[in-house]
Amino acid sequence: MRMALDQAQAAADAGEVPVGAILVDPASGEVISTGANGPIAAHDPTAHAEIVAMRRAATALDNYRLTGLTLYVTLEPCAMCAGAISHARIGRVVWAADDPKGGAVIHGPRLFEQPTCHWRPTTDSGLLADEASSLLKSFFRQRRGTATGGAR
């Protein structure tokens, strides 16, 4: 999660909402890919940290299925990211800070609990939550009044 926080800080330094993600092979401990939030710079509304990390991992592994990998992310995934996590068949998702407003795992639609969800990863939350939350709060405190039009 510390590496994901580094990615979140890189996103903040670039003017993006500070969310970071990494994908790890739990069998070997190898970091397969990293991702930092980047929708503004990429002109891509889907460039959330989780999506960036999944795209990089799929390319690195030459497979769109990321079965068995663990995704560490600094904020509870949104509905788009949770859907992509399910489609990628990621084995486990661990996030730092809960997102009562935009999260979709334990908040909002609770995507993995829906009967139409074909793949449900195991989930854990709270790892380095205070650090992730502080980074987000600091970012938005600095940006108040100059919002770019979106939560991510």
Coordinates of all heavy atoms in Angstrom, one line a residue, residues 41-143:
A41 N -4.9 14.7 -17.4 CA -3.8 14.7 -18.3 C -4.0 13.8 -19.6 O -3.6 14.2 -20.7 CB -2.5 14.3 -17.6
A42 N -4.7 12.7 -19.3 CA -4.9 11.8 -20.4 C -6.1 12.1 -21.3 O -6.3 11.5 -22.3 CB -5.0 10.3 -19.9
H43 N -6.9 13.1 -20.8 CA -8.1 13.4 -21.5 C -9.0 12.2 -21.6 O -9.6 11.9 -22.7 CB -7.9 14.1 -22.8 CG -7.0 15.3 -22.8 ND1 -7.4 16.5 -22.2 CD2 -5.7 15.4 -23.2 CE1 -6.4 17.3 -22.3 NE2 -5.4 16.7 -22.9
D44 N -9.0 11.4 -20.5 CA -9.7 10.1 -20.5 C -10.4 9.9 -19.2 O -9.8 9.7 -18.2 CB -8.6 9.0 -20.7 CG -9.1 7.6 -20.7 OD1 -10.4 7.4 -20.5 OD2 -8.3 6.7 -20.9
P45 N -11.7 9.9 -19.2 CA -12.5 9.8 -18.0 C -12.3 8.4 -17.3 O -12.6 8.2 -16.2 CB -13.9 10.0 -18.4 CG -14.0 9.7 -19.8 CD -12.6 10.1 -20.4
T46 N -11.8 7.4 -18.1 CA -11.5 6.1 -17.5 C -10.1 5.9 -16.9 O -9.8 4.8 -16.4 CB -11.8 5.0 -18.6 OG1 -10.7 5.0 -19.5 CG2 -13.2 5.1 -19.2
A47 N -9.3 6.9 -16.9 CA -7.9 6.8 -16.5 C -7.8 6.9 -15.0 O -6.9 7.6 -14.4 CB -7.1 7.8 -17.2
H48 N -8.6 6.2 -14.3 CA -8.5 6.0 -12.8 C -7.3 5.2 -12.5 O -6.9 4.3 -13.3 CB -9.8 5.4 -12.2 CG -11.0 6.3 -12.2 ND1 -12.1 6.1 -11.5 CD2 -11.2 7.5 -12.9 CE1 -13.0 7.0 -11.7 NE2 -12.4 7.9 -12.5
A49 N -6.7 5.3 -11.3 CA -5.5 4.6 -11.0 C -5.7 3.1 -11.2 O -4.8 2.4 -11.7 CB -5.1 4.9 -9.5
E50 N -6.8 2.5 -10.8 CA -7.0 1.1 -10.9 C -7.0 0.6 -12.4 O -6.5 -0.4 -12.7 CB -8.4 0.7 -10.3 CG -8.6 1.0 -8.8 CD -9.3 2.4 -8.6 OE1 -8.9 3.4 -9.2 OE2 -10.2 2.4 -7.8
I51 N -7.7 1.4 -13.2 CA -7.8 1.1 -14.6 C -6.4 1.2 -15.3 O -6.0 0.3 -16.0 CB -8.8 2.0 -15.4 CG1 -10.2 1.9 -14.7 CG2 -8.8 1.8 -16.9 CD1 -10.9 0.6 -14.9
V52 N -5.6 2.2 -14.9 CA -4.3 2.4 -15.4 C -3.4 1.2 -15.0 O -2.7 0.6 -15.9 CB -3.6 3.7 -15.0 CG1 -2.2 3.8 -15.3 CG2 -4.4 4.9 -15.5
A53 N -3.5 0.8 -13.8 CA -2.7 -0.4 -13.3 C -3.2 -1.7 -14.0 O -2.3 -2.5 -14.4 CB -2.8 -0.5 -11.8
M54 N -4.5 -1.9 -14.2 CA -5.0 -3.1 -14.8 C -4.5 -3.1 -16.3 O -4.2 -4.2 -16.8 CB -6.5 -3.2 -14.7 CG -6.9 -3.6 -13.3 SD -8.7 -3.9 -13.2 CE -9.3 -2.3 -13.0
R55 N -4.6 -2.0 -17.0 CA -4.2 -2.0 -18.4 C -2.7 -2.3 -18.5 O -2.3 -3.1 -19.4 CB -4.4 -0.6 -19.0 CG -5.8 -0.3 -19.3 CD -6.0 1.1 -19.8 NE -7.4 1.4 -20.1 CZ -8.0 2.6 -20.1 NH1 -7.2 3.7 -19.9 NH2 -9.2 2.7 -20.4
R56 N -1.9 -1.8 -17.6 CA -0.4 -2.1 -17.7 C -0.2 -3.5 -17.3 O 0.7 -4.2 -18.0 CB 0.3 -1.2 -16.7 CG 0.4 0.3 -17.2 CD 1.0 1.2 -16.1 NE 1.1 2.5 -16.6 CZ 1.4 3.6 -15.9 NH1 1.7 3.4 -14.6 NH2 1.5 4.8 -16.4
A57 N -0.9 -4.1 -16.4 CA -0.7 -5.5 -16.0 C -1.1 -6.4 -17.1 O -0.4 -7.4 -17.4 CB -1.5 -5.8 -14.7
A58 N -2.2 -6.1 -17.7 CA -2.7 -6.9 -18.9 C -1.7 -6.9 -20.0 O -1.4 -8.0 -20.6 CB -4.1 -6.4 -19.3
T59 N -1.1 -5.8 -20.3 CA -0.1 -5.7 -21.3 C 1.2 -6.5 -20.9 O 1.7 -7.3 -21.7 CB 0.3 -4.2 -21.6 OG1 -0.9 -3.6 -22.1 CG2 1.4 -4.1 -22.6
A60 N 1.6 -6.3 -19.6 CA 2.8 -7.0 -19.2 C 2.6 -8.5 -19.2 O 3.6 -9.3 -19.5 CB 3.1 -6.5 -17.7
L61 N 1.4 -9.0 -18.8 CA 1.2 -10.4 -18.7 C 0.6 -11.0 -20.0 O 0.4 -12.2 -20.1 CB 0.2 -10.7 -17.6 CG 0.7 -10.3 -16.2 CD1 -0.4 -10.5 -15.2 CD2 2.0 -11.1 -15.8
D62 N 0.3 -10.1 -21.0 CA -0.2 -10.5 -22.3 C -1.5 -11.3 -22.1 O -1.8 -12.3 -22.7 CB 0.8 -11.3 -23.1 CG 0.4 -11.4 -24.6 OD1 -0.2 -10.4 -25.1 OD2 0.8 -12.4 -25.2
N63 N -2.4 -10.8 -21.2 CA -3.6 -11.5 -20.8 C -4.6 -10.5 -20.2 O -4.2 -9.7 -19.3 CB -3.4 -12.6 -19.8 CG -4.5 -13.5 -19.7 OD1 -5.7 -13.2 -20.0 ND2 -4.2 -14.7 -19.2
Y64 N -5.8 -10.4 -20.7 CA -6.8 -9.5 -20.1 C -7.3 -10.0 -18.8 O -7.9 -9.3 -18.0 CB -7.9 -9.2 -21.1 CG -8.9 -10.4 -21.2 CD1 -10.2 -10.3 -20.6 CD2 -8.6 -11.5 -21.9 CE1 -11.1 -11.3 -20.8 CE2 -9.5 -12.5 -22.1 CZ -10.7 -12.4 -21.5 OH -11.6 -13.5 -21.6
R65 N -7.1 -11.3 -18.5 CA -7.5 -11.8 -17.2 C -6.3 -11.7 -16.2 O -5.2 -12.1 -16.5 CB -7.9 -13.3 -17.3 CG -9.2 -13.5 -18.1 CD -10.4 -13.3 -17.2 NE -11.7 -13.2 -18.0 CZ -12.4 -14.2 -18.3 NH1 -12.1 -15.5 -18.0 NH2 -13.6 -14.0 -19.0
L66 N -6.6 -11.1 -15.1 CA -5.6 -10.9 -14.1 C -5.8 -11.8 -12.8 O -5.7 -11.4 -11.7 CB -5.5 -9.4 -13.7 CG -5.3 -8.5 -14.9 CD1 -5.4 -7.0 -14.5 CD2 -4.0 -8.8 -15.6
T67 N -6.3 -13.0 -13.1 CA -6.7 -13.9 -12.1 C -5.6 -14.1 -11.0 O -4.4 -14.3 -11.3 CB -7.1 -15.3 -12.7 OG1 -8.0 -15.0 -13.7 CG2 -7.6 -16.2 -11.7
G68 N -6.0 -14.0 -9.8 CA -5.1 -14.3 -8.7 C -4.3 -13.1 -8.2 O -3.7 -13.2 -7.1
L69 N -4.3 -12.0 -8.9 CA -3.5 -10.9 -8.5 C -4.2 -10.1 -7.4 O -5.4 -10.2 -7.2 CB -3.2 -9.9 -9.6 CG -2.4 -10.5 -10.8 CD1 -2.1 -9.4 -11.8 CD2 -1.1 -11.1 -10.4
T70 N -3.4 -9.4 -6.6 CA -4.0 -8.5 -5.6 C -3.8 -7.1 -6.0 O -2.7 -6.7 -6.4 CB -3.3 -8.8 -4.2 OG1 -3.5 -10.1 -3.8 CG2 -3.8 -7.8 -3.1
L71 N -4.9 -6.3 -5.9 CA -4.9 -4.9 -6.2 C -4.9 -4.1 -4.9 O -5.8 -4.3 -4.1 CB -6.1 -4.5 -7.1 CG -6.3 -3.0 -7.3 CD1 -5.3 -2.5 -8.3 CD2 -7.7 -2.8 -7.9
Y72 N -3.9 -3.3 -4.7 CA -3.9 -2.3 -3.6 C -4.2 -1.0 -4.2 O -3.6 -0.5 -5.1 CB -2.5 -2.3 -3.0 CG -2.1 -3.6 -2.3 CD1 -1.5 -4.6 -3.0 CD2 -2.4 -3.8 -0.9 CE1 -1.2 -5.8 -2.3 CE2 -2.1 -5.0 -0.3 CZ -1.5 -6.0 -1.0 OH -1.2 -7.2 -0.4
V73 N -5.2 -0.3 -3.6 CA -5.6 1.0 -4.1 C -5.9 1.9 -2.9 O -6.3 1.4 -1.8 CB -6.8 0.9 -5.0 CG1 -8.0 0.3 -4.4 CG2 -7.1 2.2 -5.7
T74 N -5.6 3.2 -3.0 CA -5.7 4.1 -1.9 C -7.1 4.6 -1.6 O -7.3 5.2 -0.5 CB -4.8 5.3 -2.1 OG1 -5.2 6.0 -3.3 CG2 -3.3 4.9 -2.2
L75 N -8.0 4.3 -2.4 CA -9.4 4.7 -2.2 C -10.4 3.6 -2.7 O -10.1 3.0 -3.7 CB -9.7 6.0 -3.0 CG -11.1 6.7 -2.7 CD1 -11.2 7.1 -1.3 CD2 -11.2 7.8 -3.7
E76 N -11.4 3.4 -1.9 CA -12.4 2.4 -2.3 C -12.8 2.6 -3.8 O -13.1 3.7 -4.2 CB -13.7 2.5 -1.5 CG -14.8 1.6 -1.8 CD -16.0 1.8 -1.0 OE1 -16.0 2.6 0.0 OE2 -17.1 1.2 -1.3
P77 N -12.7 1.5 -4.6 CA -13.0 1.6 -6.0 C -14.5 2.1 -6.3 O -15.4 1.7 -5.6 CB -12.8 0.2 -6.6 CG -11.8 -0.4 -5.6 CD -12.2 0.2 -4.3
C78 N -14.6 2.9 -7.4 CA -15.9 3.4 -7.9 C -16.6 2.3 -8.6 O -16.0 1.2 -8.8 CB -15.7 4.6 -8.7 SG -14.9 4.3 -10.3
A79 N -17.8 2.5 -9.1 CA -18.5 1.5 -9.9 C -17.8 1.1 -11.2 O -17.7 -0.1 -11.5 CB -19.9 2.0 -10.2
M80 N -17.2 2.0 -11.9 CA -16.5 1.7 -13.1 C -15.3 0.8 -12.8 O -15.1 -0.3 -13.5 CB -16.0 3.0 -13.8 CG -15.1 2.7 -15.0 SD -14.4 4.2 -15.7 CE -13.3 4.7 -14.5
C81 N -14.5 1.1 -11.8 CA -13.4 0.4 -11.5 C -13.7 -1.0 -10.9 O -13.1 -2.0 -11.2 CB -12.5 1.1 -10.5 SG -11.7 2.6 -11.3
A82 N -14.8 -1.0 -10.0 CA -15.2 -2.3 -9.5 C -15.7 -3.3 -10.6 O -15.4 -4.5 -10.6 CB -16.3 -2.1 -8.5
G83 N -16.4 -2.7 -11.6 CA -16.8 -3.5 -12.7 C -15.6 -4.1 -13.5 O -15.5 -5.3 -13.9
A84 N -14.6 -3.2 -13.7 CA -13.4 -3.7 -14.4 C -12.6 -4.7 -13.6 O -12.1 -5.7 -14.2 CB -12.5 -2.5 -14.7
I85 N -12.6 -4.5 -12.3 CA -11.9 -5.5 -11.4 C -12.6 -6.9 -11.6 O -11.9 -7.9 -11.7 CB -12.0 -5.0 -9.9 CG1 -11.0 -3.8 -9.8 CG2 -11.7 -6.1 -9.0 CD1 -11.3 -3.0 -8.5
S86 N -13.9 -6.9 -11.6 CA -14.6 -8.1 -11.7 C -14.3 -8.8 -13.1 O -14.1 -10.0 -13.2 CB -16.1 -7.9 -11.6 OG -16.9 -9.1 -11.8
H87 N -14.4 -8.0 -14.2 CA -14.1 -8.5 -15.5 C -12.7 -9.0 -15.6 O -12.5 -10.0 -16.4 CB -14.4 -7.4 -16.6 CG -15.8 -7.2 -16.8 ND1 -16.6 -8.1 -17.6 CD2 -16.7 -6.2 -16.4 CE1 -17.8 -7.6 -17.6 NE2 -17.9 -6.5 -16.9
A88 N -11.8 -8.4 -14.9 CA -10.4 -8.8 -15.0 C -10.1 -10.1 -14.1 O -9.0 -10.7 -14.2 CB -9.4 -7.7 -14.6
R89 N -11.0 -10.4 -13.3 CA -10.9 -11.6 -12.4 C -9.8 -11.4 -11.4 O -9.2 -12.4 -11.0 CB -10.7 -12.9 -13.2 CG -11.7 -13.2 -14.3 CD -13.1 -13.4 -13.7 NE -14.0 -14.1 -14.7 CZ -14.9 -13.5 -15.4 NH1 -15.0 -12.2 -15.4 NH2 -15.7 -14.2 -16.2
I90 N -9.6 -10.2 -10.9 CA -8.6 -10.0 -9.9 C -9.1 -10.7 -8.6 O -10.2 -10.8 -8.2 CB -8.5 -8.5 -9.6 CG1 -7.8 -7.8 -10.8 CG2 -7.8 -8.2 -8.3 CD1 -7.7 -6.4 -10.8
G91 N -8.1 -11.3 -7.9 CA -8.4 -12.2 -6.8 C -8.7 -11.5 -5.5 O -9.5 -12.0 -4.7
R92 N -8.0 -10.4 -5.3 CA -8.2 -9.7 -4.0 C -8.0 -8.2 -4.2 O -7.2 -7.8 -5.0 CB -7.2 -10.2 -3.0 CG -7.3 -9.6 -1.6 CD -6.2 -10.2 -0.7 NE -6.3 -9.6 0.6 CZ -5.2 -9.2 1.3 NH1 -4.0 -9.5 0.8 NH2 -5.3 -8.6 2.4
V93 N -8.9 -7.4 -3.5 CA -8.8 -5.9 -3.6 C -8.6 -5.4 -2.2 O -9.4 -5.8 -1.3 CB -10.0 -5.3 -4.2 CG1 -9.9 -3.8 -4.3 CG2 -10.3 -5.8 -5.6
V94 N -7.6 -4.6 -2.0 CA -7.3 -4.0 -0.7 C -7.3 -2.5 -0.9 O -6.5 -2.1 -1.7 CB -6.0 -4.5 -0.1 CG1 -5.7 -3.9 1.3 CG2 -5.9 -6.0 0.0
W95 N -8.1 -1.8 -0.2 CA -8.1 -0.3 -0.3 C -7.8 0.3 1.1 O -8.1 -0.3 2.1 CB -9.3 0.2 -1.0 CG -10.6 0.1 -0.2 CD1 -11.1 1.0 0.7 CD2 -11.5 -0.9 -0.3 NE1 -12.3 0.6 1.2 CE2 -12.6 -0.6 0.6 CE3 -11.6 -2.1 -1.0 CZ2 -13.6 -1.5 0.8 CZ3 -12.7 -3.0 -0.8 CH2 -13.7 -2.6 0.1
A96 N -7.3 1.5 1.0 CA -7.0 2.3 2.2 C -8.2 3.0 2.8 O -8.8 2.6 3.7 CB -5.8 3.2 2.0
A97 N -8.6 4.1 2.1 CA -9.7 4.9 2.6 C -11.0 4.5 2.0 O -11.1 4.2 0.8 CB -9.4 6.4 2.3
D98 N -12.1 4.4 2.8 CA -13.4 4.2 2.3 C -13.9 5.4 1.6 O -13.4 6.5 1.9 CB -14.4 3.9 3.5 CG -14.2 2.5 4.1 OD1 -13.5 1.7 3.5 OD2 -14.7 2.4 5.3
D99 N -14.8 5.3 0.7 CA -15.4 6.4 -0.1 C -16.9 6.3 0.0 O -17.5 5.8 -0.9 CB -14.9 6.3 -1.5 CG -15.3 7.6 -2.3 OD1 -16.0 8.4 -1.8 OD2 -14.9 7.6 -3.5
P100 N -17.5 6.8 1.1 CA -18.9 6.8 1.2 C -19.7 7.4 0.1 O -20.8 7.0 -0.2 CB -19.2 7.5 2.5 CG -17.9 7.5 3.3 CD -16.8 7.5 2.2
K101 N -19.1 8.4 -0.6 CA -19.8 9.1 -1.6 C -19.7 8.5 -3.0 O -20.7 8.4 -3.8 CB -19.3 10.6 -1.7 CG -20.1 11.5 -2.7 CD -19.5 12.9 -2.6 CE -20.3 13.8 -3.6 NZ -19.8 15.1 -3.6
G102 N -18.5 8.0 -3.3 CA -18.3 7.4 -4.7 C -17.9 6.0 -4.7 O -17.8 5.4 -5.8
G103 N -17.7 5.4 -3.6 CA -17.3 4.0 -3.6 C -18.4 3.1 -4.0 O -19.6 3.4 -3.9
A104 N -18.0 1.9 -4.5 CA -19.0 0.9 -5.0 C -18.8 -0.5 -4.5 O -19.4 -1.4 -5.0 CB -19.0 1.0 -6.5
V105 N -17.9 -0.6 -3.5 CA -17.7 -2.0 -3.0 C -18.5 -2.2 -1.7 O -19.3 -3.1 -1.6 CB -16.2 -2.2 -2.8 CG1 -16.0 -3.6 -2.2 CG2 -15.4 -2.1 -4.1
I106 N -18.3 -1.3 -0.7 CA -19.0 -1.4 0.5 C -20.0 -0.3 0.7 O -20.8 -0.2 1.6 CB -18.1 -1.5 1.8 CG1 -17.3 -0.3 2.0 CG2 -17.3 -2.8 1.7 CD1 -16.5 -0.2 3.3
H107 N -20.0 0.7 -0.3 CA -20.9 1.8 -0.3 C -21.6 1.8 -1.7 O -21.3 1.0 -2.5 CB -20.1 3.1 -0.2 CG -19.5 3.3 1.2 ND1 -18.2 2.9 1.4 CD2 -20.0 3.7 2.4 CE1 -17.9 3.1 2.7 NE2 -19.0 3.6 3.3
G108 N -22.6 2.6 -1.8 CA -23.3 2.8 -3.1 C -23.9 1.4 -3.6 O -24.5 0.7 -2.8
P109 N -23.6 1.1 -4.8 CA -24.2 -0.1 -5.4 C -23.7 -1.5 -4.9 O -24.2 -2.5 -5.2 CB -23.9 0.0 -6.9 CG -22.6 0.8 -6.9 CD -22.7 1.8 -5.8
R110 N -22.6 -1.5 -4.1 CA -22.0 -2.7 -3.6 C -21.9 -3.8 -4.7 O -22.5 -4.8 -4.6 CB -22.8 -3.2 -2.4 CG -22.9 -2.3 -1.2 CD -23.7 -2.8 -0.1 NE -23.8 -1.8 0.9 CZ -23.4 -2.0 2.2 NH1 -22.8 -3.2 2.5 NH2 -23.5 -1.1 3.1
L111 N -21.2 -3.4 -5.7 CA -21.2 -4.1 -7.0 C -20.9 -5.6 -6.8 O -21.5 -6.4 -7.5 CB -20.1 -3.5 -7.9 CG -20.3 -4.1 -9.3 CD1 -20.8 -3.1 -10.3 CD2 -18.9 -4.6 -9.8
F112 N -19.9 -6.0 -6.0 CA -19.6 -7.4 -5.9 C -20.7 -8.2 -5.2 O -20.6 -9.5 -5.3 CB -18.3 -7.6 -5.1 CG -17.1 -6.9 -5.8 CD1 -16.2 -6.2 -5.0 CD2 -16.9 -6.8 -7.1 CE1 -15.1 -5.5 -5.6 CE2 -15.9 -6.2 -7.7 CZ -14.9 -5.5 -7.0
E113 N -21.7 -7.6 -4.6 CA -22.8 -8.3 -4.0 C -24.0 -8.5 -4.9 O -24.9 -9.2 -4.6 CB -23.2 -7.6 -2.7 CG -22.2 -7.5 -1.6 CD -22.6 -6.7 -0.4 OE1 -23.9 -6.5 -0.3 OE2 -21.8 -6.2 0.3
Q114 N -23.9 -7.9 -6.1 CA -25.0 -8.0 -7.0 C -25.1 -9.3 -7.7 O -24.0 -9.9 -8.0 CB -24.9 -6.9 -8.1 CG -24.9 -5.5 -7.6 CD -26.1 -5.2 -6.7 OE1 -27.3 -5.5 -7.1 NE2 -25.9 -4.7 -5.5
P115 N -26.3 -9.9 -7.9 CA -26.4 -11.2 -8.5 C -25.9 -11.2 -9.9 O -25.5 -12.3 -10.4 CB -27.9 -11.5 -8.5 CG -28.6 -10.2 -8.2 CD -27.6 -9.3 -7.6
T116 N -25.8 -10.1 -10.6 CA -25.3 -10.1 -12.0 C -23.7 -10.0 -12.0 O -23.1 -10.0 -13.1 CB -25.8 -8.9 -12.7 OG1 -25.6 -7.7 -12.0 CG2 -27.3 -9.0 -12.9
C117 N -23.1 -9.9 -10.9 CA -21.6 -9.8 -10.8 C -21.1 -11.3 -10.9 O -21.4 -12.1 -10.1 CB -21.2 -9.2 -9.5 SG -19.4 -9.0 -9.4
H118 N -20.3 -11.6 -12.0 CA -19.9 -12.9 -12.3 C -18.6 -13.3 -11.5 O -18.3 -14.5 -11.4 CB -19.7 -13.1 -13.8 CG -21.0 -13.0 -14.5 ND1 -22.0 -13.9 -14.4 CD2 -21.4 -12.1 -15.4 CE1 -23.0 -13.6 -15.2 NE2 -22.7 -12.5 -15.8
W119 N -17.9 -12.3 -11.0 CA -16.6 -12.6 -10.3 C -16.5 -11.7 -9.1 O -16.6 -10.5 -9.3 CB -15.4 -12.4 -11.3 CG -14.1 -12.7 -10.6 CD1 -13.3 -11.7 -10.0 CD2 -13.5 -13.9 -10.4 NE1 -12.2 -12.3 -9.4 CE2 -12.3 -13.7 -9.7 CE3 -13.8 -15.2 -10.8 CZ2 -11.4 -14.7 -9.4 CZ3 -12.9 -16.2 -10.5 CH2 -11.7 -16.0 -9.8
R120 N -16.3 -12.3 -8.0 CA -16.2 -11.5 -6.8 C -14.9 -11.7 -6.1 O -14.6 -12.8 -5.5 CB -17.3 -11.9 -5.8 CG -18.7 -11.6 -6.3 CD -19.8 -12.3 -5.5 NE -21.1 -12.0 -6.0 CZ -21.7 -12.6 -7.0 NH1 -21.1 -13.6 -7.6 NH2 -22.9 -12.2 -7.4
P121 N -14.0 -10.7 -6.1 CA -12.8 -10.8 -5.4 C -13.0 -10.7 -3.9 O -14.0 -10.2 -3.4 CB -12.0 -9.6 -5.9 CG -13.0 -8.6 -6.1 CD -14.2 -9.4 -6.7
T122 N -12.0 -11.2 -3.1 CA -12.1 -11.0 -1.7 C -11.7 -9.5 -1.5 O -10.9 -8.9 -2.3 CB -11.1 -11.9 -0.9 OG1 -9.8 -11.7 -1.3 CG2 -11.5 -13.4 -1.1
T123 N -12.1 -8.9 -0.4 CA -11.8 -7.5 -0.2 C -11.4 -7.3 1.2 O -11.8 -8.0 2.2 CB -13.0 -6.6 -0.5 OG1 -14.1 -7.0 0.4 CG2 -13.5 -6.8 -1.9
D124 N -10.5 -6.3 1.4 CA -10.1 -5.8 2.7 C -10.0 -4.3 2.6 O -9.7 -3.7 1.6 CB -8.8 -6.4 3.1 CG -8.8 -7.9 3.4 OD1 -9.5 -8.3 4.4 OD2 -8.2 -8.6 2.6
S125 N -10.2 -3.6 3.7 CA -10.1 -2.1 3.7 C -9.4 -1.7 5.0 O -9.3 -2.4 6.0 CB -11.4 -1.5 3.6 OG -12.2 -1.7 4.7
G126 N -8.9 -0.4 4.9 CA -8.4 0.2 6.1 C -6.9 0.3 6.2 O -6.3 1.0 7.1
L127 N -6.1 -0.4 5.3 CA -4.7 -0.4 5.4 C -4.1 0.9 5.0 O -4.3 1.4 3.9 CB -4.1 -1.5 4.4 CG -2.6 -1.7 4.3 CD1 -2.1 -2.1 5.7 CD2 -2.3 -2.7 3.3
L128 N -3.5 1.6 6.0 CA -3.0 3.0 5.8 C -4.1 4.0 5.4 O -3.8 4.9 4.7 CB -1.8 3.0 4.8 CG -0.6 2.1 5.1 CD1 0.4 2.2 4.0 CD2 0.0 2.5 6.5
A129 N -5.2 3.7 6.0 CA -6.4 4.6 5.7 C -6.2 6.0 6.1 O -6.6 7.0 5.4 CB -7.6 4.1 6.3
D130 N -5.6 6.3 7.2 CA -5.3 7.6 7.7 C -4.4 8.4 6.8 O -4.7 9.6 6.5 CB -4.8 7.7 9.1 CG -5.8 7.2 10.2 OD1 -7.0 7.2 9.9 OD2 -5.3 6.8 11.3
E131 N -3.4 7.8 6.3 CA -2.5 8.4 5.3 C -3.2 8.8 4.0 O -3.0 9.9 3.5 CB -1.2 7.6 5.1 CG -0.3 7.5 6.3 CD 0.9 6.7 6.0 OE1 1.5 6.9 5.0 OE2 1.2 5.9 6.9
A132 N -3.9 7.8 3.5 CA -4.6 8.0 2.2 C -5.7 9.1 2.4 O -5.8 10.0 1.5 CB -5.3 6.8 1.7
S133 N -6.4 9.1 3.5 CA -7.4 10.1 3.7 C -6.8 11.5 3.9 O -7.3 12.5 3.4 CB -8.2 9.7 5.0 OG -9.2 10.6 5.2
S134 N -5.7 11.6 4.6 CA -5.0 12.9 4.8 C -4.6 13.4 3.5 O -4.7 14.7 3.2 CB -3.8 12.7 5.7 OG -4.3 12.4 7.0
L135 N -4.1 12.6 2.6 CA -3.6 13.1 1.3 C -4.8 13.6 0.5 O -4.7 14.7 -0.1 CB -2.9 11.9 0.5 CG -2.3 12.2 -0.8 CD1 -1.3 13.3 -0.7 CD2 -1.7 10.9 -1.4
L136 N -5.9 12.9 0.5 CA -7.1 13.4 -0.2 C -7.6 14.7 0.4 O -7.9 15.6 -0.4 CB -8.2 12.3 -0.2 CG -8.0 11.1 -1.2 CD1 -8.7 9.9 -0.7 CD2 -8.3 11.5 -2.6
K137 N -7.7 14.7 1.7 CA -8.3 15.9 2.3 C -7.4 17.1 2.0 O -7.9 18.2 1.8 CB -8.4 15.7 3.8 CG -9.6 14.8 4.2 CD -9.7 14.5 5.6 CE -10.8 13.5 5.9 NZ -10.8 13.1 7.3
S138 N -6.1 16.9 2.1 CA -5.1 18.0 1.8 C -5.3 18.5 0.4 O -5.3 19.7 0.1 CB -3.7 17.5 2.1 OG -2.8 18.5 1.7
F139 N -5.4 17.6 -0.5 CA -5.5 17.9 -1.9 C -6.7 18.8 -2.2 O -6.7 19.8 -2.8 CB -5.6 16.6 -2.8 CG -5.8 16.9 -4.2 CD1 -4.8 17.2 -5.1 CD2 -7.1 16.8 -4.8 CE1 -5.0 17.4 -6.4 CE2 -7.3 17.1 -6.1 CZ -6.2 17.3 -7.0
F140 N -7.9 18.3 -1.6 CA -9.1 19.1 -1.9 C -9.2 20.4 -1.1 O -9.7 21.4 -1.6 CB -10.3 18.2 -1.6 CG -10.6 17.2 -2.7 CD1 -10.4 15.8 -2.4 CD2 -10.9 17.6 -3.9 CE1 -10.6 14.9 -3.4 CE2 -11.1 16.7 -5.0 CZ -11.0 15.3 -4.7
R141 N -8.5 20.4 0.1 CA -8.4 21.7 0.8 C -7.7 22.7 0.0 O -8.1 23.9 -0.1 CB -7.7 21.4 2.1 CG -7.9 22.5 3.1 CD -7.4 22.2 4.6 NE -6.5 21.1 4.7 CZ -6.9 19.9 5.2 NH1 -8.1 19.7 5.5 NH2 -6.0 18.9 5.3
Q142 N -6.6 22.3 -0.7 CA -5.8 23.2 -1.5 C -6.6 23.6 -2.8 O -6.4 24.7 -3.3 CB -4.5 22.6 -1.9 CG -3.5 22.4 -0.8 CD -2.3 21.6 -1.2 OE1 -2.2 21.2 -2.4 NE2 -1.4 21.3 -0.3
R143 N -7.5 22.8 -3.3 CA -8.2 23.0 -4.5 C -9.5 23.7 -4.4 O -10.1 24.1 -5.3 CB -8.4 21.7 -5.3 CG -7.2 20.9 -5.7 CD -6.5 21.7 -6.8 NE -5.4 20.9 -7.4 CZ -4.2 20.8 -6.9 NH1 -3.9 21.4 -5.8 NH2 -3.2 20.2 -7.6

